[in-house]
């Protein structure tokens, strides 16, 4: 489902973020990506939705070479992906409902069905009945839940999360980790980067460990 074959990413000035990365993630797996700050985790995740492009090597998603995907085709790729970035990037002048609805508006989803999907996504993340609230009135953990609801409202087959528990207290972090585990149990392929791999210890996921842009472990 996700294949990296000898992938490298170098930035202008000669900085190498990733060097010779190869691994495969199969459908329905939960994979935890770990490593020190600056190890290349965020860069690796951004290669999957073609936010970044590799300098060398190949990135395959469901057999499609996204490393060479035409720019006009990228929005169609992302419809099958759920993305949760380090910053929630919520629209603070819009309601919770409008924030979660945004991906469906962009894809031209029928309004009636879109509203039902938003309600279902918010219920899934434990925010049913909070549709009219503004993000500024929510806790940090609740804002992250809104970002997750927005990522899953399109019902993606792959969910990618970059440090979704960062800056959350332990109780909120555990709740967010449990959400991702529940998505995986429902059949969604999950790739999640975290500094605290212990949050997923009980589920015994596969682990990819990066250090200085190199893959040290693919257990």
């Amino acid at each position: 489902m996700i294949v990296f074959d000898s992938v490298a990413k170098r930035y202008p000035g000669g900085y190498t973020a990733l060097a010779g990365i190869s691994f495969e993630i199969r459908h329905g797996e939960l994979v935890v990506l770990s490593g020190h700050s600056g190890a290349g985790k965020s860069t690796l995740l951004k290669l999957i939705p073609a936010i970044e492009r590799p300098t060398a090597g190949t990135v395959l998603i469901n057999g499609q070479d996204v490393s060479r995907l035409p720019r006009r085709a990228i929005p169609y790729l992302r419809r099958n992906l759920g993305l949760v970035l380090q910053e929630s990037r919520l629209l603070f002048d819009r309601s919770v409902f409008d924030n979660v609805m945004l991906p469906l508006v962009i894809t031209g989803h029928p309004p009636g069905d879109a509203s039902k999907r938003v309600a279902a996504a918010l219920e899934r993340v434990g925010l049913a009945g909070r549709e009219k609230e503004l993000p500024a009135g929510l806790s940090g953990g609740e804002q992250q839940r809104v970002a997750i609801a927005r990522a899953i409202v399109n019902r993606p087959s792959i969910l990618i999360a970059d440090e979704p528990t960062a800056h959350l207290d332990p109780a909120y972090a555990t709740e967010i980790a449990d959400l991702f585990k529940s998505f995986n149990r429902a059949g969604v392929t999950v790739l999640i980067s975290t500094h605290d791999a212990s949050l997923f210890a009980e589920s015994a996921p596969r682990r990819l460990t990066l250090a200085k842009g190199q893959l040290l472990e693919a257990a």
Side-chain angles (χ1 to χ4, degrees):
M1 175 168 271
I2 301 175
V3 178
F4 275 53
D5 184 8
S6 302
V7 172
K9 177 62 179 180
R10 290 183 294 275
Y11 289 99
Y15 173 68
T16 298
L18 297 172
I21 303 295
S22 296
F23 63 85
E24 179 177 355
I25 297 174
R26 295 178 293 276
H27 175 75
E29 284 194 292
L30 169 63
V31 179
V32 173
L33 179 63
S34 61
H36 59 82
S37 179
K41 300 187 300 296
S42 294
T43 299
L44 186 153
L45 294 180
K46 288 177 180 177
L47 291 173
I48 297 172
I51 295 172
E52 298 275 7
R53 302 289 188 123
T55 308
T58 302
V59 178
L60 298 175
I61 309 298
N62 293 324
Q64 183 177 44
D65 185 354
V66 303
S67 52
R68 294 170 179 81
L69 201 63
R71 187 173 299 276
R72 66 181 180 276
I74 291 175
Y76 298 97
L77 163 72
R78 293 176 183 169
R79 290 183 186 184
N80 294 316
L81 305 175
L83 305 176
V84 182
L85 302 177
Q86 285 193 35
E87 302 82 17
S88 63
R89 297 189 180 182
L90 299 178
L91 302 175
F92 280 78
D93 61 339
R94 307 285 181 90
S95 68
V96 166
F97 180 91
D98 288 340
N99 270 276
V100 179
M101 174 70 85
L102 185 59
L104 301 178
V105 172
I106 292 173
T107 57
H109 214 79
D113 185 58
S115 295
K116 293 178 182 178
R117 287 196 179 206
V118 172
L122 288 172
E123 182 175 5
R124 186 70 189 274
V125 301
L127 291 176
R130 310 288 294 275
E131 293 90 343
K132 295 181 180 180
E133 296 186 38
L134 294 175
L138 305 179
S139 68
E142 289 168 338
Q143 289 179 15
Q144 190 64 287
R145 286 173 180 268
V146 175
I148 294 169
R150 184 179 59 191
I152 66 168
V153 75
N154 257 336
R155 300 174 184 171
S157 59
I158 300 173
L159 186 55
I160 301 161
D162 190 3
E163 295 284 359
T165 61
H167 314 303
L168 298 181
D169 64 42
Y172 276 133
T174 298
E175 290 178 3
I176 295 300
D178 287 344
L179 268 177
F180 284 99
K181 294 174 192 175
S182 73
F183 297 141
N184 179 246
R185 288 194 296 270
V188 178
T189 303
V190 177
L191 174 57
I192 183 168
S193 75
T194 177
H195 282 101
D196 188 1
S198 66
L199 290 168
F200 297 88
E202 292 182 2
S203 56
R206 279 186 61 207
R207 299 185 184 278
L208 302 175
T209 304
L210 290 176
K212 297 181 179 179
Q214 297 185 328
L215 186 62
L216 296 184
E217 179 183 357

